[in-house]
Amino acid sequence: MRILLIVGGWSSEREVSLRGGRGMEAALRARGHEVTWFDLLENFDRLSEEAARHDFALINLHGAPGEDGLVQALLERAGCPYQGSGPAGSFLALNKSAAKQVFRRAGLDTPAWEFLPVRPAAGWAPSLPYPIFVKSNTGGSSLRLSRAENRAQLDSILDEIFSAGDAALMETAISGREVTCGVLGEEALPPILIEPVAGEFFDYTSKYASGGARELCPAPLPPELTARVQALALRAHRALGLSGYSRADFILTPEDRLWLLEVNTLPGMTETSLVPQEAAVIGLDFGALLERLMELGMKAHPRA
């Protein structure tokens, strides 16, 4: 199959995308596919033209463009099938404050939040008690994610986010362990329990530094709790109107309550990334997982 592998882009997660794309390219070529490496940063104006010449597009982008639905919309106009969710679901999931509204209406527990689209006016005070987690509203890979214990720390974090041109999302800090669970097709995968080593929570360093975190897959949780994580991941996937695959991130409290943080529509895709680890537990190696995503994409977004 002639595959257009769309990577890079111009978000703050560009390097993560490029690293993952090289592994995807190798796995696809090993399975006999013809792969065109397509760095969106250098070739955006040629995307529609190239997509029309290929049988399928595999998107390995993080942040915007990519997770915001723009690339998916262009691929649909070009009549080129692709993996994962369509434009609307992608956009809702990427915008954390919008996604949390969807979660709340669907009856899914998500931490209390306050959305700051612009730098607040003088005299503003947060509506949430400290400590507060602060993150970019549309960022990923835990970039610009910090915990504020007081107003001075909060102002410093917000200044970093607004200086980068982002909007900010603040959340009540909930103590517990981090659990993530992928969805593939219409089935939830075995969840992973994450234990950061390099910090108190799963930030950028924990994700990408060697030995930054222990990722226990499948999660050593009681069967009933595992089933509950999987059911909630699937509910979040459906509430956002997603297709193909996704990955939901939770905080598990000591009382076994699950709080949904966010859902990723283009989760990391290296052989050691979270969703590929989960897929391996059910017998899908990296190359087979990519082909399964292509199979699902051909059904969800058939060639026009």
Side-chain angles (χ1 to χ4, degrees):
M1 187 178 288
R2 293 171 301 169
I3 299 172
L4 186 67
L5 181 57
I6 305 173
V7 298
W10 50 87
S11 80
S12 58
E13 300 168 81
R14 171 178 168 79
E15 293 305 318
V16 175
S17 165
L18 293 173
R19 289 201 301 270
R22 289 302 180 192
M24 293 173 69
E25 181 183 26
L28 291 166
R29 291 190 186 280
R31 297 179 83 89
H33 297 285
E34 179 184 329
V35 182
T36 299
W37 178 267
F38 191 88
D39 186 339
L40 200 68
L41 175 64
E42 301 168 355
N43 301 294
F44 179 76
D45 289 340
R46 296 176 45 241
L47 176 58
S48 297
E49 173 188 346
E50 285 298 315
R53 296 177 50 246
H54 287 76
D55 301 315
F56 194 88
L58 266 175
I59 309 167
N60 192 54
L61 298 167
H62 306 301
E67 287 184 281
D68 61 352
L70 174 62
V71 169
Q72 292 85 343
L74 283 171
L75 292 173
E76 289 186 2
R77 291 290 183 179
C80 181
Y82 59 92
Q83 100 280 13
S85 297
S90 298
F91 186 75
L92 281 175
L94 178 66
N95 190 302
K96 296 180 179 65
S97 62
K100 285 170 77 70
Q101 294 183 51
V102 174
F103 300 154
R104 183 171 58 188
R105 285 184 58 84
L108 294 160
D109 286 337
T110 189
W113 77 94
E114 182 176 353
F115 173 51
L116 296 176
V118 296
R119 194 184 298 269
W124 168 85
S127 62
L128 304 174
Y130 295 102
I132 301 170
F133 271 112
V134 190
K135 61 185 80 173
S136 165
N137 187 53
T138 58
S141 291
S142 298
L143 288 165
R144 289 190 284 278
L145 165 66
S146 295
R147 176 180 167 122
E149 302 284 348
N150 52 55
R151 183 59 188 263
Q153 292 178 357
L154 176 60
D155 287 343
S156 175
I157 299 163
L158 290 176
D159 186 64
E160 180 182 353
I161 291 173
F162 291 127
S163 295
D166 293 336
L169 182 80
M170 305 187 302
E171 286 182 323
T172 298
I174 295 178
S175 297
R177 297 180 291 173
E178 300 197 39
V179 179
T180 188
C181 184
V183 170
L184 182 62
E186 284 298 312
E187 295 184 10
L189 296 170
I192 293 177
L193 181 66
I194 298 168
E195 297 180 343
V197 174
E200 294 183 9
F201 54 92
F202 199 40
D203 59 5
Y204 186 87
T205 301
S206 297
K207 283 186 178 181
Y208 298 110
S210 177
R214 289 183 291 270
E215 297 167 356
L216 308 178
C217 183
L221 301 173
E224 180 276 331
L225 186 53
T226 293
R228 194 144 50 89
V229 172
Q230 292 174 312
L232 291 175
L234 199 52
R235 279 179 59 189
H237 179 89
R238 291 169 175 166
L240 289 166
L242 307 184
S243 63
Y245 70 140
S246 67
R247 194 195 76 228
D249 299 334
F250 301 90
I251 292 293
L252 173 63
T253 71
E255 300 77 30
D256 288 345
R257 187 170 180 180
L258 287 158
W259 293 87
L260 176 59
L261 300 178
E262 61 183 81
V263 174
N264 297 272
T265 56
L266 290 175
M269 200 53 60
T270 69
E271 291 194 49
T272 58
S273 293
L274 298 170
V275 169
Q277 286 187 58
E278 295 176 355
V281 173
I282 65 168
L284 289 175
D285 64 23
F286 189 53
L289 172 60
L290 294 177
E291 290 190 331
R292 175 63 176 147
L293 292 175
M294 290 162 57
E295 176 187 341
L296 292 167
M298 293 290 284
K299 293 179 180 177
H301 315 290
R303 178 169 293 282

